[in-house]
Amino acid sequence: KAVHLNLWPSKLGRDPQHGAHMRAFWASSVSFFLAFLGWFALAPVAVDVAQSISICENQVYPPALYPKRTAFLKYKSVETHVAYCRFGKVAGDEPTDCNEPTGNSTLSKYNREV
């Protein structure tokens, strides 16, 4: 039966009955917590970091190299209302690509100048 709980780091796991096992348990628990924190809690901060160093999605993912990114396929200019997909989107609200040009059009299906 436990009479007291000593969580002081220098005393943790020093007794012969629970020695290395308790140190390993707490080390793995703290490691898991830090991994969880790094994976889920710090990811939203990336948007603020990108804004603070003045980069946007077009600089991280250039449209010429990544033409099928969902953010580009859904994009429409606020000022001119011109869409990235010149001939419409494939699959409506969740686009996978832009429609192919119709008729004898020589324009690309992607409007990268928007």
Side-chain angles (χ1 to χ4, degrees), residues 50 54-63 66 69-72:
S54 300
I55 64 170
C56 64
E57 189 170 2
N58 289 348
Q59 292 169 315
V60 178
Y61 301 102
Y66 302 94
R69 275 189 65 78
T70 307
F72 296 147

Side-chain angles (χ1 to χ4, degrees), residues 3 5 11 24 26 40 44 48 94 100 108:
V3 238
L5 178 63
K11 304 274 186 187
W26 284 110
F40 292 106
D48 293 330
E94 295 298 324
E100 295 295 327
S108 169

Side-chain angles (χ1 to χ4, degrees), residues 15-81:
D15 64 334
Q17 186 179 7
H18 300 104
H21 300 296
M22 284 310 291
R23 281 194 301 268
F25 169 76
W26 284 110
S28 64
S29 297
V30 169
S31 298
F32 176 76
F33 172 75
L34 291 175
F36 186 86
L37 179 76
W39 189 261
F40 292 106
L42 298 179
V45 177
V47 174
D48 293 330
V49 171
Q51 184 180 5
S52 70
I53 60 175
S54 300
I55 64 170
C56 64
E57 189 170 2
N58 289 348
Q59 292 169 315
V60 178
Y61 301 102
L65 296 176
Y66 302 94
K68 294 182 181 181
R69 275 189 65 78
T70 307
F72 296 147
L73 297 175
K74 291 182 173 183
Y75 180 76
K76 182 185 272 191
S77 172
V78 175
E79 296 169 358
T80 61
H81 299 287

